[in-house]
């Protein structure tokens, strides 16, 4: 697959993002709407997360779409995967106003294709060209589109997930849900309740100022959730990011479940049911590959970014291959039987099923996974390309994977060195067996990179 993401000027791996009123203005979003309406015809679904700027920006994108002849269905506030599901089922495309896990002052636009996946690189480059050239003009009065408001459509998404599982499979289980004041206030508590769980919510009232915690579900921000899980005797706690395409978990003892462990646990369950490929970026812990291979399945690696995972899953299926599961080691998991995008609500529901089937506590299941350590670091340097070239030369006698940056693969560990596409930094990830391997590999790499950047 061609990885052309670095050529994009406006859209990053997950759409356009920026601080509202500074980088991201209603004018820019209007232009995005006009460009999208010029490229796409038919009925476009528009949704937003709970950010305070969401209404203004949704109106701007709708105005652009309507003026260029598209019809618009405004789905109101809903998770990104809910909008993606609705687009896949019944619309010609979508535009989601969200900044996902970014702080409250940010917002963004994510463009959804008719099949429910995020717009691919080639189409995004075309869209950017239209935006930069301003090569569109509003249509006369008799050709502008019309708008319908449909805030209840989100229920179809809830229904689809609930009906993916055995009836009332979660009966007797208590779960604490922390939607972080985001759009999953409308979905995850309802999904789990309809699956039979007793659901307690925290930060369960939609609020774009995010008074309880920031939209990134970090271990620090989830301490109150952890306390509530323990005090309520819940089986687990689940928290979403600001647009609920990711889920992270707290075990029954109040401990944060590292996202690669979450991925490995669900991967092991799904690969036990069905044989085929799991698709994930090169940055995912080897823990996932180990459990997948133990179950007789294979791993297909992609560049970093959920869109590459989703599109690779689709293309493998198009070649007639079985694809069991996909996702990233950040709690963003893709269930191909449901849809080809990360889905936080589906992930929470799957965890209910796994705990019911295994009749074990979450901490006990996590303890059965391979133990790995992961170290993440970054170095500021304007010479990213030179660093990558030097690292590639220095380690040329070892096993290298050049899918995205340079990944050096050893028996007990691997290291991934990537240059950021948007900032002058080098990102380093090391994944290793427990012990000193990870720290030693990290120190070795930092030594080389410091020497290169100080030349
Ligand atoms: Mg997100």
């Amino acid at each position: 697959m061609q990885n052309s993401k670095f050529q994009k000027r406006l859209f990053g791996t997950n759409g356009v993002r920026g601080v509202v009123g500074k980088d991201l203005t209603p004018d820019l979003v209007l232009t995005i709407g006009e460009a999208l309406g010029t490229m796409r015809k038919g009925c476009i679904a528009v949704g937003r997360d709970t950010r305070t700027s969401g209404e203004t920006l949704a109106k701007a994108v709708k105005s652009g779409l309507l003026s260029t002849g598209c019809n618009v269905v405004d789905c109101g506030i809903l998770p990104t995967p809910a909008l993606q599901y609705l687009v896949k089922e019944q619309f010609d495309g979508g535009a989601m106003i969200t900044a996902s896990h970014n702080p409250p002052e940010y917002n963004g636009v994510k463009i959804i294709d008719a099949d429910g996946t995020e717009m691919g690189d080639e189409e995004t480059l075309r869209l950017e060209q239209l935006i930069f050239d301003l090569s569109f003009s509003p249509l006369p009065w008799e050709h502008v589109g019309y708008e319908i408001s449909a805030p209840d459509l989100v229920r179809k998404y809830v229904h689809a997930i609930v009906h993916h599982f055995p009836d009332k499979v979660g009966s007797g289980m208590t779960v604490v849900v922390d939607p972080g004041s985001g759009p999953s206030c409308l979905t995850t508590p309802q999904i789990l309740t309809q699956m039979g769980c007793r659901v307690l919510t925290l930060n369960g009232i939609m609020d774009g100022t995010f008074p309880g915690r920031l939209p990134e579900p970090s271990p620090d921000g989830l301490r109150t959730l952890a306390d509530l899980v323990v005090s309520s005797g819940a089986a687990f706690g689940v928290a979403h990011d600001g647009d609920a395409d990711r889920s992270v978990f707290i075990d029954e003892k109040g401990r944060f479940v590292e996202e690669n462990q979450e991925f490995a646990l669900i991967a092991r369950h799904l690969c036990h049911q069905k044989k085929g490929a799991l698709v994930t970026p090169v940055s995912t812990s080897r823990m996932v590959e180990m459990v997948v291979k133990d179950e007789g399945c294979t791993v297909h690696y992609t560049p970093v970014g959920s869109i590459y995972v989703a599109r690779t899953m689709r293309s493998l299926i198009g070649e007639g291959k079985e694809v069991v599961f996909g996702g990233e080691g950040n709690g963003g998991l893709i269930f191909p039987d449901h849809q080809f995008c990360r889905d936080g609500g589906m992930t929470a529901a799957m965890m209910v099923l796994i705990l019911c089937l295994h009749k074990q506590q979450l901490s006990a299941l996590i303890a059965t996974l391979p133990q790995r350590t992961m170290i993440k670091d970054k170095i500021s340097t304007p010479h990213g390309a030179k660093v990558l070239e030097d690292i590639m030369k220095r380690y040329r006698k070892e096993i290298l994977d050049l899918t995205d940056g340079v990944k050096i693969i050893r028996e007990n560990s691997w290291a991934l060195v990537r240059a950021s596409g948007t900032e002058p930094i080098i990102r380093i990830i090391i994944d290793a067996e427990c012990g000193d391997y990870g720290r030693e590999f990290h120190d070795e790499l930092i030594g080389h990179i410091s020497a290169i950047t100080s030349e």
Side-chain angles (χ1 to χ4, degrees), residues 14 17 80 98-101 110 241-246 342:
N14 285 297
R17 297 252 178 99
T80 300
T98 179
S100 186
H101 59 276
K110 204 180 260 196
D241 70 322
D243 66 337
D245 56 358
R246 288 160 49 206
R342 296 177 295 185

Side-chain angles (χ1 to χ4, degrees), residues 1 277-282 298-302 309 312 316 319 321:
M1 182 195 308
L278 175 142
V279 181
T280 193
V282 285
T298 55
V299 177
H300 192 106
Y301 285 108
T302 71
V309 178
T312 302
L316 289 172
E319 291 164 21
K321 300 196 172 108

